């Protein structure tokens, strides 16, 4: 599995979720939270991006809350 640094992770999420390397201002903090949650796993970011595409800020926040209730080792095991 390829691990990316924070800059690469944010850029990947930005390109896939917003078609630009940087998120819009309203999503910037959320992108940072998702990048930290994924821990540099590019596949995790791509899976999450496909779920979050074209969703509102409120939906992003709600999804992150739900994801944080699932232990990371279970998610990493599935990936």
């Amino acid at each position: 599995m390829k691990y990316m640094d924070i800059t690469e992770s944010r850029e990947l999420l930005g390109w896939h979720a917003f078609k630009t390397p940087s998120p819009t201002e309203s999503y910037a903090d959320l992108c940072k939270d998702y990048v930290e949650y994924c821990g540099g796993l590019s596949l995790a970011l791509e899976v999450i991006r496909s779920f979050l595409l074209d969703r509102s800020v409120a939906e992003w926040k709600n999804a992150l809350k739900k994801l944080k209730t699932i232990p990371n080792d279970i998610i990493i095991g599935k990936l």
Side-chain angles (χ1 to χ4, degrees):
M1 231 181 285
K2 180 185 183 244
Y3 290 91
M4 298 182 302
D5 65 26
I6 291 173
T7 303
E8 290 173 317
S9 297
R10 288 185 76 165
E11 194 170 310
L12 177 67
L13 185 58
W15 277 116
H16 286 296
F18 307 105
K19 311 275 190 276
T20 175
S22 300
T24 60
E25 247 183 78
S26 56
Y27 288 90
D29 287 337
L30 284 167
C31 282
K32 180 181 172 249
D33 293 339
Y34 275 100
V35 164
E36 288 174 3
Y37 178 79
C38 290
L41 294 172
S42 58
L43 181 57
L45 284 166
E46 290 185 35
V47 169
I48 284 174
R49 181 271 323 163
S50 67
F51 172 74
L52 296 173
L53 191 62
D54 297 325
R55 301 213 186 242
S56 69
V57 169
E59 290 171 308
W60 276 53
K61 288 179 182 179
N62 189 38
L64 185 60
K65 284 180 191 174
K66 288 180 182 178
L67 284 171
K68 286 184 175 182
T69 65
I70 303 168
N72 278 352
D73 57 336
I74 292 174
I75 292 171
I76 291 171
K78 294 207 180 275
L79 290 173

